[in-house]
């Protein structure tokens, strides 16, 4: 089962994806957030609540896309109560990349970079036995709900950015209940979107490189994930294919389990504030930046995982030069 959010008659609506052409409208105001709150209040799963609330009204999926009415499949009414974060160095990568990494790991602890040490920790302890704590992953903060860009909408690139690169990833979507317990509503396809030139210049600038817009969706998958997922990441320029590459994800292709990544995020009390929404990116192993691609204004990213229905698509919109930020004071 998959859900989408969209604008309908002047309000945020949620719908059940029936097939590539049709959406079944769910009869409630408040979108996926309210649907999830209602499901928790009634002691039902999100899928059960969606089926119970789905009416007979059917809408044309492609028309929603053409009219720019798609929205990210989960958001909070107050963007300040949506936290966008992620974990890195989580994926094993392609066979060649994996072999190269193992060769480096075999060279000795004293020669390893901090990144390789972190990757090694994940390989050795990222999938602990049930009920035990595994290795901590790399973790980063991207922003609040104000940085979320809807599917099909332009991804803004700050004038000071040195790069604008895609990161095709799985995204976990969560709601914190009234008792401070995180509930995973499901997963979506995401474009975590980073400044890889800034990150490459100095790894301590990783935090800066992640403070960018991002997008996910358009569909929220409620069913459990297969252990292995295969998709493709593409960049189009002036309507022509500039770059494309397959990518794999899912726990079979990861050094960490989802449960371990979730534990090391939600173990912090400040991430268990009742009513908050969390959008958490799980990492990737495939980047156009690694193949020497330099994106520019107007390029369009397309990220597709067949298990998630319609691809996530966003064009780039590079912002004009901006003056230095000014801080005002009273004296």
């Amino acid at each position: 089962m998959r859900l989408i959010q969209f604008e309908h008659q002047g309000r945020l609506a949620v719908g059940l994806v029936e097939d590539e052409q049709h959406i079944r409208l769910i009869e409630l105001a408040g979108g996926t957030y309210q649907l999830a709150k209602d499901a928790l209040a009634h002691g039902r799963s999100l899928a059960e609540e969606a089926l119970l609330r789905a009416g007979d009204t059917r809408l044309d999926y492609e028309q929603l896309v053409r009219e720019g009415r798609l929205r990210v499949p989960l958001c909070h009414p107050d963007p300040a109560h949506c936290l966008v974060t992620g974990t890195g160095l989580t994926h094993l990568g392609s066979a060649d990349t994996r072999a190269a990494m193992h060769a480096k790991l075999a060279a000795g602890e004293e020669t390893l970079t901090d990144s390789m040490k972190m990757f090694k920790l994940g390989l050795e302890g990222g999938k602990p036995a049930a009920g035990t704590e595994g290795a901590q992953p790399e973790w980063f903060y991207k922003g609040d709900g104000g940085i979320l860009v809807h599917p099909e909408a332009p991804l803004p690139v700050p004038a000071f950015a040195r790069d604008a690169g895609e990161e095709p990833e799985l995204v976990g979507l969560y709601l914190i209940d009234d008792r401070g317990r995180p509930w995973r509503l499901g997963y979506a396809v995401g474009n975590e979107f980073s400044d890889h030139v800034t990150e490459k210049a100095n790894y301590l600038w990783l935090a800066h490189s992640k403070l960018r817009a991002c997008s996910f969706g358009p569909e929220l998958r409620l069913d459990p994930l297969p252990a292995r997922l295969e998709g493709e990441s593409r960049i189009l320029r002036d309507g022509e294919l500039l770059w494309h590459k397959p990518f794999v994800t899912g726990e079979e292709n990861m050094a960490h389990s989802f449960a371990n990544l979730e534990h090391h995020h939600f173990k912090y009390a400040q991430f268990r504030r009742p009513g908050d929404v969390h959008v958490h990116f799980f990492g990737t192993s495939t980047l156009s930046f690694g193949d020497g691609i330099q994106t520019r204004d107007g390029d369009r990213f397309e990220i597709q995982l067949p298990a998630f229905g319609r691809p996530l698509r966003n064009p780039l919109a590079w912002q004009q030069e901006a003056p230095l930020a000014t801080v005002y004071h009273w004296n």
Side-chain angles (χ1 to χ4, degrees):
M1 180 181 290
R2 303 191 304 276
L3 304 177
I4 67 168
Q5 282 198 131
F6 53 96
E7 288 291 329
H8 181 65
Q9 298 179 345
R11 63 179 176 87
L12 183 64
V14 58
L16 179 64
V17 179
E18 290 198 324
D19 52 46
E20 293 182 1
Q21 287 82 35
H22 301 101
I23 303 299
R24 189 175 169 194
L25 182 65
I26 293 174
E27 304 290 352
L28 88 163
T32 310
Y33 179 75
Q34 189 59 51
L35 184 69
K37 291 189 71 175
D38 289 352
L40 287 174
H42 297 143
R44 293 191 280 258
S45 72
L46 186 56
E48 290 170 333
E49 192 72 25
L51 287 173
L52 284 171
R53 304 292 288 272
D56 295 327
T57 302
R58 285 169 171 79
L59 303 171
D60 185 284
Y61 200 163
E62 189 60 38
Q63 183 178 355
L64 297 177
V65 176
R66 289 197 309 269
E67 295 177 353
R69 292 160 58 191
L70 285 182
R71 301 293 179 260
V72 291
L74 178 67
C75 56
H76 194 286
D78 178 358
H81 286 276
C82 174
L83 187 69
V84 187
T85 55
T87 43
L89 298 172
T90 55
H91 280 63
L92 300 174
S94 67
D96 289 343
T97 301
R98 189 185 312 174
M101 284 183 170
H102 281 289
K104 291 178 182 178
L105 291 173
E109 188 76 21
E110 69 281 355
T111 67
L112 298 181
T113 65
D114 287 343
S115 293
M116 291 305 299
K117 289 176 182 177
M118 183 70 74
F119 181 74
K120 184 170 183 284
L121 286 173
L123 286 177
E124 295 173 347
K127 294 182 176 178
T132 62
E133 183 177 87
Q136 287 193 131
E138 176 193 60
W139 181 96
F140 58 85
Y141 170 75
K142 281 193 70 67
D144 65 14
I147 69 165
L148 299 180
V149 174
H150 300 304
E152 306 290 334
L155 279 164
V157 184
F160 56 77
R162 301 177 65 189
D163 174 51
E166 86 297 335
E167 295 206 9
E169 306 191 18
L170 287 175
V171 182
L173 302 174
Y174 307 86
L175 173 64
I176 311 301
D177 71 12
D178 292 340
R179 294 168 57 185
R181 299 177 302 178
W183 290 81
R184 186 198 313 119
L185 307 187
Y187 301 92
V189 176
N191 184 350
E192 192 254 299
F193 194 54
S194 297
D195 185 334
H196 301 106
V197 172
T198 293
E199 177 187 351
K200 186 177 180 180
N202 189 316
Y203 192 71
L204 294 179
W205 284 343
L206 173 72
H208 285 280
S209 75
K210 297 297 185 182
L211 293 174
R212 299 292 186 272
C214 63
S215 187
F216 64 94
E219 302 183 17
L220 164 59
R221 178 186 167 113
L222 306 185
D223 301 321
L225 289 181
R228 178 182 177 84
L229 289 160
E230 299 182 17
E232 185 174 74
S233 183
R234 300 183 287 271
I235 301 176
L236 281 74
R237 178 172 292 170
D238 299 325
E240 301 292 332
L241 185 64
L242 173 69
W243 173 90
H244 70 108
K245 198 167 193 175
F247 70 94
V248 293
T249 186
E251 285 196 342
E252 183 180 305
N253 297 291
M254 297 171 65
H256 291 262
S257 65
F258 290 119
N260 190 54
L261 298 176
E262 290 169 336
H263 163 71
H264 284 294
H265 179 69
F266 289 111
K267 68 184 181 183
Y268 296 102
Q270 65 263 41
F271 297 159
R272 301 194 304 272
R273 185 170 56 186
D276 280 6
V277 162
H278 287 253
V279 176
H280 192 76
F281 287 84
F282 286 117
T284 189
S285 61
T286 302
L287 307 171
S288 64
F289 179 77
D291 291 338
I293 298 296
Q294 293 182 317
T295 59
R296 68 189 191 198
D297 189 62
D299 287 352
R300 189 176 76 181
F301 298 124
E302 293 187 356
I303 299 171
Q304 184 161 30
L305 281 168
F308 288 82
R310 184 175 288 269
L312 173 63
R313 305 187 301 191
N314 299 96
L316 276 179
W318 214 286
Q319 299 175 338
Q320 298 300 311
E321 193 66 36
L324 291 176
T326 301
V327 176
Y328 297 92
H329 52 90
W330 283 272
N331 56 352

